[in-house]
Amino acid sequence: MEIDDAKGAKPLRLAICVKHVPTCDDIEVDEATGRIRRADAECDINPCDLNAMEMANALKKSVADAGGATIMAFSMGPDGALASLKKCLALGADEAYLLSDRKFAGCDTLGTARVLAHFLKAKGPFDVIFMGEMASDGATGQVGPMTAALLGVPDVISVATISCGERAGQFIVEQHIAEGVRRLLVKSPMVVTVPFGVNQPKLPTLRMQMRANKIAIPVLTASELSADELARLAPKSIVTSTRAIGTHAQAELIEGDAKAIAAKIRELVEGGRQHV
């Protein structure tokens, strides 16, 4: 970490971007727009964003005796997203900001990344920006890398762990890949995306959540973007239609001796049927 002769180690500045998503499968899609009807849906913080929050907290705790760290949380969405930001505050974030404006509605992944990048620049710089690898409602995995590209910083996907390196501004990142785990030395600033299940997120205690619920969260709006920036939010990808895909897979109990069971399994496989 960077050293200041007068004050010792310089605190790390960490950011986390979270999304407020529907929590149940029984959601409705607007047939005219192809968008999820979120107004009446039960929502909560995106699951792998909790993994990202846990990782940010672990990094913050690891430098507690060496300058410390602060975590700033951001969420782009309607007023309901305040609940996810308050959960971040209860879990250890120091500040939180809601990015909300009717002019942000309808943004595709690139538009979302543009809004996030603008406010991350405005409130930064940050050493590390954490994001969940993908949202449970869209699952594109695009916003993190796009945000990194707009900020002009490296992005590391599928991050399993992150820790400080020996030199200022360096971090050791372990990344999940198909062959196993790859260990990287990355110079800050950077964006890291965290997949679901890489750690065990802690849940806030009732006292921590009640305390967080009393904290006022500033709302940042489109008024802070230039006319040119707003024009660039026009979606480049548009949902033209949606349809439900049903499944007819059924479990089937196979009985008999080993030879009979093996023969039945072979029959199912060769017949092209899906056996669950």
Side-chain angles (χ1 to χ4, degrees):
M1 290 180 293
E2 188 175 339
I3 301 297
D4 185 313
D5 290 336
K7 298 181 180 179
K10 185 177 180 180
L12 290 179
R13 299 195 76 230
L14 311 177
I16 181 166
C17 300
V18 302
K19 188 176 183 182
H20 198 58
V21 298
T23 57
C24 62
D25 295 329
D26 187 20
I27 56 176
E28 295 183 359
V29 175
D30 189 312
E31 294 182 2
T33 64
R35 299 174 192 158
I36 295 174
R37 290 175 176 164
R38 300 175 185 272
D40 299 324
E42 183 179 344
C43 297
D44 201 350
I45 188 170
N46 182 49
C48 63
D49 293 349
L50 285 174
N51 294 112
M53 185 69 212
E54 181 70 20
M55 193 174 293
N57 263 331
L59 182 58
K60 178 181 179 180
K61 291 175 182 177
S62 73
V63 297
D65 297 326
T70 58
I71 300 175
M72 194 176 292
F74 297 84
S75 185
M76 175 179 159
D79 290 346
L82 287 168
S84 287
L85 288 171
K86 288 182 183 293
K87 183 168 287 187
C88 288
L89 290 170
L91 288 169
D94 300 280
E95 299 178 51
Y97 294 90
L98 176 65
L99 319 180
S100 186
D101 197 291
R102 288 299 305 168
K103 293 180 180 179
F104 297 160
C107 280
D108 59 5
T109 52
L110 180 56
T112 299
R114 289 190 187 282
V115 174
L116 291 173
H118 173 90
F119 288 108
L120 287 165
K121 283 180 182 177
K123 297 296 180 182
F126 296 100
D127 296 286
V128 185
I129 299 166
F130 293 85
M131 294 189 183
E133 190 154 272
M134 61 179 61
S136 61
D137 59 347
T140 66
Q142 296 173 350
V143 174
M146 284 178 171
T147 303
L150 292 167
L151 292 172
V153 304
D155 73 283
V156 188
I157 64 170
S158 299
V159 172
T161 65
I162 183 171
S163 58
C164 291
E166 293 183 0
R167 296 187 178 183
Q170 289 186 344
F171 293 85
I172 300 168
V173 178
E174 289 191 346
Q175 178 189 39
H176 278 183
I177 58 175
E179 296 78 13
V181 177
R182 177 164 55 199
R183 203 162 185 255
L184 305 172
L185 185 63
V186 187
K187 186 176 180 180
S188 65
M190 74 185 82
V191 172
V192 300
T193 60
V194 183
F196 178 73
V198 297
N199 53 36
Q200 184 62 49
K202 297 179 181 64
L203 296 177
T205 65
L206 180 59
R207 179 177 295 181
M208 292 163 61
Q209 190 63 66
M210 290 178 65
R211 186 182 304 162
N213 289 344
K214 296 178 182 178
I215 299 174
I217 296 177
V219 179
L220 307 179
T221 68
S223 64
E224 301 192 35
L225 278 69
S226 67
D228 183 57
E229 287 176 310
L230 288 172
R232 291 182 181 181
L233 299 185
K236 304 297 186 292
S237 58
I238 300 172
V239 177
T240 58
S241 65
T242 59
R243 61 188 176 90
I245 299 178
T247 176
H248 301 290
Q250 295 180 347
E252 183 175 340
L253 178 62
I254 301 175
E255 297 179 319
D257 58 23
K259 186 176 181 179
I261 292 174
K264 183 61 176 178
I265 291 175
R266 181 176 180 177
E267 176 188 335
L268 292 171
V269 171
E270 290 181 348
R273 295 176 57 188
Q274 182 180 1
H275 179 67
V276 179

